[in-house]
Amino acid sequence: MATPLSADALLRALKAEGCQVVEYRSWRTHNRNHKGSWGPVNGVMIHHTVSSGEDSSVALCYNGHASLPGPLCHTVGGKSGKLYMVGHGRANHAGSGDDDVLTAVVNETALPADNEANTDGNRHFYGLEIVNLGNGKDQYPTVQYDAAVRWASAICRAHGWNERSVIAHKEWQPGKIDPHGPVEGRGSFDMNAFRRDVAERLKHAASWSASSPTPSSPKPKPAPQEDAMPTAKEIADAVWKYQLASPTAEKGTDPNRTAGTFQRWGDQHHADVIARLDRLTAAVERLTAAITKS
């Protein structure tokens, strides 16, 4: 048993759980407390609205109708994934249900079959109405289902409850079928699966998301390596291939005018240069001798 959360505490819990919350009209003071007690609270209850259209469904749950005044729940779960706060305090959502079910919720044990309606549920349960026709064909989008899981988890986390404090209207009051219908990618709305999803969330921090990748340790940067000294052959090869400047080259160097080609040209003309030098030396010597005799 627990004291109901204040409006501010409830909002903080929902937002911490990653819920997209919309505060609708004067929800903080909108309740049926003049008709009976609100609390102690023992759990959360999931319903479907038997309606379509997000805005109209929110208005219906806030205002109620001729035979059942609003608020008809505390929160409305839209197909968009938004959670609309429509009431805080006693709300007309649970009605009368099975006292054995309430005992199981209080003790957080397996639920018995609901076979009687002898206990006031509006006093003991937070209520979520999920927008759905309840005809077995209208689908609950993944984002809507996930918002419902987060809503239930947030309240359970705030009170220190586990997933067994979460029940469906159909598990509380005989003759009810909600929530009913297909969940995107999951088949029929199954409360055991829903509770497992709540249990999984409660294992993690409120900010956890099943789709979030697990943070991994950053890979260490490779240690900087010293530049290897080039070998003598590598230096010689580089020099041999070095392109020399040429006045006819567009970019200052000529790929056909490398140190290697220049060296090969020099080798080819070395002997001719030496021979010419020898002849020039001999001519100079003869000329010198002739000048000396005269």
Side-chain angles (χ1 to χ4, degrees):
M1 294 185 180
T3 301
L5 298 172
S6 68
D8 287 340
L10 179 57
L11 272 184
R12 285 194 299 270
L14 292 174
K15 290 179 179 179
E17 205 74 34
C19 298
Q20 187 178 357
V21 182
V22 178
E23 297 186 65
Y24 188 77
R25 294 177 60 179
S26 56
W27 72 276
R28 292 168 177 268
T29 56
H30 190 47
N31 55 58
R32 302 287 297 167
N33 290 355
H34 62 286
K35 289 292 185 179
S37 300
W38 165 233
V41 287
N42 304 105
V44 299
M45 187 175 295
I46 311 299
H47 309 256
H48 63 230
T49 60
V50 198
S51 64
S52 62
E54 198 151 314
D55 292 342
S56 59
S57 296
V58 172
L60 171 64
C61 290
Y62 184 90
N63 296 315
H65 45 79
S67 59
L68 193 64
L72 303 184
C73 58
H74 299 96
T75 310
V76 180
K79 288 186 180 289
S80 65
K82 294 178 181 179
L83 294 169
Y84 298 84
M85 309 305 294
V86 296
H88 184 67
R90 185 181 178 91
N92 278 331
H93 72 99
S96 296
D98 197 311
D99 61 340
D100 294 330
V101 172
L102 179 60
T103 298
V105 171
V106 171
N107 296 327
E108 295 186 324
T109 57
L111 295 177
D114 54 323
N115 54 20
E116 53 188 345
N118 58 6
T119 301
D120 174 23
N122 293 334
R123 174 182 181 179
H124 296 287
F125 290 96
Y126 297 90
L128 172 68
E129 287 278 1
I130 309 176
V131 178
N132 190 276
L133 290 172
N135 58 5
K137 298 178 181 179
D138 190 14
Q139 186 180 75
Y140 299 88
T142 298
V143 66
Q144 184 184 36
Y145 178 87
D146 179 66
V149 171
R150 289 174 184 268
W151 178 87
S153 300
I155 297 174
C156 286
R157 193 188 301 275
H159 283 295
W161 299 335
N162 67 29
E163 74 280 4
R164 291 189 179 276
S165 289
V166 181
I167 66 170
H169 198 196
K170 60 187 175 185
E171 295 172 317
W172 168 247
Q173 190 177 89
K176 297 296 182 180
I177 65 169
D178 53 323
H180 178 63
V183 178
E184 182 181 2
R186 289 173 168 266
S188 297
F189 202 121
D190 180 82
M191 283 305 298
N192 289 323
F194 188 89
R195 280 186 281 268
R196 286 194 296 270
D197 292 334
V198 170
E200 183 61 32
R201 283 205 62 83
L202 293 176
K203 293 177 184 177
H204 305 276
S207 59
W208 176 78
S209 177
S211 60
S212 297
T214 302
S216 57
S217 301
K219 294 182 179 179
K221 295 182 178 179
Q225 297 182 352
E226 295 183 358
D227 293 336
M229 289 297 293
T231 64
K233 183 178 184 305
E234 289 172 336
I235 294 174
D237 288 344
V239 171
W240 190 261
K241 296 176 181 178
Y242 183 76
Q243 294 178 7
L244 302 175
S246 169
T248 60
E250 293 182 1
K251 295 183 179 180
T253 58
D254 184 350
N256 297 317
R257 188 180 175 88
T258 65
T261 57
F262 185 78
Q263 181 65 43
R264 284 192 294 271
W265 179 87
D267 290 344
Q268 292 169 2
H269 292 80
H270 177 70
D272 182 53
V273 171
I274 295 299
R276 290 188 180 191
L277 181 60
D278 288 343
R279 288 195 298 271
L280 179 60
T281 300
V284 170
E285 288 176 349
R286 287 193 300 271
L287 180 59
T288 300
I291 293 171
T292 302
K293 290 180 178 180
S294 60

